[in-house]
Amino acid sequence: MINKSLFTHFVNRPFWFLDGKRAETDKDGDPFFSERLQYLYQRYYKSSPVNAVWWRMVTLALANLKDDCEPKCPHDRPPYDFGEENRDRQAKIAEHLADQLLADSLFQLLLKNLDSAEEKTQRRNRLATEFKLGANYLTAHEVTLGGMVKLHQLPELEQFDPSTGIMFSAWVHSVERKDSQIVPKPHGRVILVLQPGVYRYDLPNKFVPYYQHNNLVEPPDDLDSHLVCKAEVVVEAVKASLSDANQPDPNDRDIRSKFDD
């Protein structure tokens, strides 16, 4: 449910944190501004995909400028007040989403009962931190990689096949394998997608050199697509045997992003 909330609010919504204020005296801004800006981007993209992606990357980079950001334009005028305002807003939105999830009756069924207010506060803070980190990570990829996003989810993941390179079995299967030699059934039915896979394509790096980016991390120059993460799935399970068909698949694991080093 945490992943669902993260993906719903942040993936394919790159301008989610911009408030759309018209002036310093505008206290409320425009709650639909991010959607309007996304629609404008889509119209740009239809006519000129590369320029549209470049515009989006620059817009997001400018909205997230900070003092230790590299490379830095020599003509900048720090401090980056707008970037600080946006980071504060991002943190508040992440905290709000955490509170929303904690108030969800279905999510509460999964939570351990806590007696003390201190423990509840710690749990809330940990969840808020997860949302903040997730939002920062996804925004960093928008600024760094650009391109278009494809999510690997049902019904595409209906059948378990790690050789496709887009899915791996959930942690629960690792526990089963260790305790009772139960393994995901090859080509078995996918019961639940815990985390969609994220794939970025049509990346503009061949058209927009890295030194012209204001990136949070540095991608390879020749990159035109990137699998950010595989889909994590719960699958039908079978007892392991000597048959190769029921042995753990070496491809049954997530990737470690080259940008996380």
Side-chain angles (χ1 to χ4, degrees), residues 2 5-6 10 16 87 89-102 107 120-136:
I2 296 174
S5 185
L6 282 169
F10 302 134
W16 59 273
R87 276 184 287 281
R89 180 173 168 79
Q90 290 167 9
K92 290 177 181 177
I93 292 175
E95 291 175 358
H96 176 67
L97 292 175
D99 290 336
Q100 275 189 329
L101 190 57
L102 286 171
F107 187 68
K120 293 178 181 178
T121 298
Q122 290 176 348
R123 178 164 64 189
R124 185 262 185 188
N125 291 341
R126 286 196 300 269
L127 184 59
T129 298
E130 289 298 317
F131 273 96
K132 292 175 186 177
L133 292 174
N136 290 341

Side-chain angles (χ1 to χ4, degrees), residues 140-174:
H141 272 270
E142 289 285 358
V143 173
T144 301
L145 294 174
M148 300 295 287
V149 175
K150 174 179 173 57
L151 297 181
H152 296 298
Q153 52 192 335
L154 292 172
E156 180 185 7
L157 305 174
E158 184 175 5
Q159 189 178 72
F160 181 64
D161 184 2
S163 68
T164 60
I166 63 173
M167 67 181 80
F168 72 104
S169 61
W171 173 80
V172 63
H173 292 296
S174 298

